[in-house]
Amino acid sequence: MQKRFYSTEFLIILLFFALPPIVFPPALSESRFLHFSWITFALALAAGGLFWQMKTLSASDEEKKNKDEEPEGENINTRRLRFFLQQGESLITFGGLLVCSGLCEVIARFLLHEEKSLSTISPESVWGWINALAGIICAAFYEEVLYRMYLPDMAKKLLTKKHDTEKLEGGRRKKIAWVCEISAVILFALAHRYAGWLSVVNAAAGGILLRRCYIKTTSLWTNLTAHVLYNGLMTAISLL
């Protein structure tokens, strides 16, 4: 019953959240107003539910055993070390996102001779800036939960549950994992096709970097930090 529920849920998420931006891409206007969208807020709330669900499912018996075996005196030091390592991964990922974006910008300007005509209109009040920042955070949180956490991890859970995981060959398990990882990156990249194929390439590279960050740190907040910093910087540049 539980397996059927998760399969149905995954199909709904795929059909109504992951595929619509690809099948029905939003129109790209010459200018956009930087503001808070209630749709973005609603998507962030839905992502919060998925985040809670995935964190509950990831509490496996093996992880619990590792925590039980860890000496109590090392818990604080281990957590501090993990925190600093995560911040380092966040900065590395942020730098990688900037490099990928810069390369795409160079290709667009000097090889393809394309000039971006998209401009961003800034808010006129402090409250408007607060709403805009909330919108950036909510959008990044939604994308991180959906594309970096839920789609690849839930797909692997559903596909491997169809077999006896103890008898499943290591090579076959790796193939399933690779298919799930690549599919999530492709979905994320194609969701940006409204902005052109270079944006698709940039999103694909960014999706790989952010997923790598999540796998290494197992913390969505590390990803969210890098994603928000990148989106914030790109927004600030478009305002200039």
Side-chain angles (χ1 to χ4, degrees):
M1 184 67 181
Q2 190 179 42
K3 176 183 174 182
R4 186 177 301 175
F5 168 79
Y6 288 129
S7 299
T8 304
E9 178 194 72
F10 183 84
L11 183 61
I12 292 174
I13 296 297
L14 188 64
L15 291 178
F16 292 97
F17 291 90
L19 292 182
I22 300 174
V23 181
F24 307 104
L28 185 64
S29 59
E30 293 185 357
S31 62
R32 66 187 181 97
F33 182 71
L34 190 61
H35 68 288
F36 180 80
S37 171
W38 286 105
I39 296 178
T40 304
F41 180 68
L43 291 175
L45 286 179
L50 293 178
F51 174 74
W52 175 82
Q53 180 188 87
M54 294 301 296
K55 291 297 290 183
T56 302
L57 291 175
S58 63
S60 62
D61 294 336
E62 183 177 354
E63 291 175 342
K64 290 180 180 179
K65 289 181 180 179
N66 291 335
K67 290 181 181 179
D68 292 337
E69 293 173 357
E70 187 179 8
E72 294 183 359
E74 296 181 2
N75 284 343
I76 296 178
N77 293 331
T78 302
R79 290 173 184 173
R80 288 176 178 174
L81 178 60
R82 185 180 298 112
F83 173 79
F84 285 112
L85 291 176
Q86 288 177 350
Q87 300 313 305
E89 284 295 334
S90 180
L91 292 177
I92 291 173
T93 303
F94 174 61
L97 294 175
L98 293 182
V99 170
C100 293
S101 179
L103 289 175
C104 288
E105 184 69 17
V106 169
I107 293 174
R109 288 182 178 271
F110 298 103
L111 296 182
L112 303 179
H113 303 288
E114 294 181 358
E115 293 290 338
K116 289 186 177 180
S117 58
L118 178 64
S119 61
T120 303
I121 303 175
S122 62
E124 298 179 354
S125 65
V126 176
W127 181 245
W129 280 105
I130 295 175
N131 286 339
L133 179 61
I136 292 175
I137 295 174
C138 286
F141 178 72
Y142 167 74
E143 290 184 340
E144 289 306 310
V145 172
L146 181 64
Y147 295 105
R148 249 65 72 186
M149 187 179 192
Y150 181 82
L151 288 178
D153 289 350
M154 182 59 78
K156 281 187 280 189
K157 287 179 182 294
L158 293 175
L159 290 176
T160 53
K161 280 185 177 181
K162 292 182 179 180
H163 311 84
D164 184 355
T165 54
E166 294 181 357
K167 297 180 180 179
L168 192 63
E169 297 179 1
R172 192 173 184 181
R173 186 184 292 109
K174 288 183 180 179
K175 289 180 181 178
I176 291 175
W178 273 108
V179 169
C180 296
E181 296 289 349
I182 294 173
S183 298
V185 170
I186 291 175
L187 288 173
F188 177 68
L190 292 180
H192 294 76
R193 74 183 185 91
Y194 67 92
W197 71 270
L198 273 179
S199 293
V200 172
V201 174
N202 186 38
I208 294 173
L209 289 172
L210 288 165
R211 176 60 179 173
R212 171 194 170 276
C213 181
Y214 176 72
I215 292 175
K216 288 183 71 67
T217 64
T218 65
S219 172
L220 194 75
W221 310 116
T222 306
N223 278 49
L224 185 62
T225 300
H227 199 152
V228 170
L229 287 175
Y230 173 78
N231 284 356
L233 181 60
M234 293 298 104
T235 301
I237 291 174
S238 66
L239 287 171
L240 298 177

